Amino acid sequence: GAGVSQSPSNKVTEKGKDVELRCDPISGHTALYWYRQSLGQGLEFLIYFQGNSAPDKSGLPSDRFSAERTGGSVSTLTIQRTQQEDSAVYLCASSLTRAQETQYFGPGTRLLVL
Amino acid sequence: GENVEQHPSTLSVQEGDSAVIKCTYSDSASNYFPWYKQELGKRPQLIIDIRSNVGEKKDQRIAVTLNKTAKHFSLHITETQPEDSAVYFCAASYRRGGATNKLIFGTGTLLAVQP
């Protein structure tokens, strides 16, 4: 079956603009996660969804970052007024029901803020 | 606080030798410990995981050990091959507000297997 997909694969934007990143999890997976990976760095947790609700938003770096999930499926991560330090690869992952299960990652969106 | 430390940050071995990567976690409630492999430009993929009710798990050339008392877990790769070259991440589940709802990842180990 289809894996986790993300779009766009690459995004170049100017400082101050808003961007939206999309994640399509594996069908039937109720848990969805967003991570950020800066060049040569590890995976930084941003937010977790269980269904449409986000019990843990503790990793969002600032109030410029927000995310939503609708219909228990697609999720959108929005970054407002982008800054150069937002440049990174944004990875989405999903698991069947909970964190203690295999998380399947998408290919990521490479964001470059000029 | 939530933290997973991973060592070494880089590891170079000769083909056929063994490689060991070690991680330490801070949350005593952590009960799930996966390892992910990320090849250059690719997405992370699970290679093995272990739960807190066992101390060791093997899958062909890969094994993971867990010491809950010391809050340590390690990845062992035997008979390394050039295709094992990648960045390896450990992770530990983390409980917040009574619910385990995320993984905390280590900073990664770049493994280079020299032919």
Side-chain angles (χ1 to χ4, degrees):
Chain A
V4 178
S5 61
Q6 292 185 246
S7 60
S9 54
N10 293 281
K11 178 70 177 179
V12 180
T13 190
E14 294 179 346
K15 178 181 173 181
K17 295 286 181 67
D18 297 352
V19 295
E20 282 191 356
L21 312 180
R22 176 187 169 106
C23 172
D24 279 276
I26 293 173
S27 178
H29 281 197
T30 62
L32 185 147
Y33 314 84
W34 282 98
Y35 297 93
R36 180 168 71 173
Q37 187 172 34
S38 301
L39 187 62
Q41 300 298 308
L43 296 160
E44 176 189 3
F45 169 83
L46 297 179
I47 189 169
Y48 156 71
F49 285 93
Q50 182 56 260
N52 290 337
S53 63
D56 191 343
K57 306 178 183 180
S58 62
L60 294 178
S62 73
D63 58 8
R64 296 187 294 106
F65 288 72
S66 63
E68 64 176 13
R69 189 179 185 195
T70 56
S73 181
V74 172
S75 176
T76 302
L77 177 69
T78 301
I79 308 174
Q80 295 179 310
R81 304 180 302 281
T82 52
Q83 302 295 313
Q84 290 183 333
E85 59 264 30
D86 299 335
S87 297
V89 176
Y90 290 82
L91 289 161
C92 172
S94 70
S95 62
L96 189 58
T97 60
R98 58 198 176 111
Q100 299 105 313
E101 297 167 333
T102 302
Q103 292 191 19
Y104 296 89
F105 283 83
T109 293
R110 288 161 180 75
L111 175 66
L112 177 60
V113 182
L114 300 177
Chain B
E2 57 215 59
N3 186 46
V4 175
E5 293 188 0
Q6 183 172 347
H7 299 281
S9 56
T10 60
L11 179 59
S12 181
V13 299
Q14 290 295 124
E15 183 177 359
D17 287 350
S18 295
V20 180
I21 302 171
K22 300 182 179 182
C23 288
T24 303
Y25 60 98
S26 60
D27 183 9
S28 58
S30 294
N31 58 10
Y32 175 63
F33 308 91
W35 286 87
Y36 283 81
K37 175 183 180 182
Q38 187 176 30
E39 297 177 358
L40 186 63
K42 302 267 184 81
R43 69 189 78 186
Q45 293 197 310
L46 180 76
I47 55 170
I48 195 168
D49 57 13
I50 191 169
R51 298 183 187 276
S52 57
N53 57 344
V54 297
E56 184 176 6
K57 183 177 178 180
K58 289 183 180 180
D59 183 2
Q60 300 183 333
R61 297 185 296 108
I62 295 173
V64 57
T65 59
L66 172 64
N67 182 331
K68 286 218 72 178
T69 302
K71 298 183 193 172
H72 290 169
F73 58 115
S74 300
L75 178 71
H76 304 252
I77 306 174
T78 58
E79 301 171 24
T80 53
Q81 302 168 2
E83 52 264 38
D84 294 330
S85 297
V87 178
Y88 291 81
F89 293 98
C90 63
S93 61
Y94 181 75
R95 177 173 294 185
R96 177 185 171 95
T100 300
N101 54 22
K102 65 183 177 186
L103 297 176
I104 301 299
F105 283 82
T107 49
T109 296
L110 175 61
L111 173 64
V113 180
Q114 309 297 332

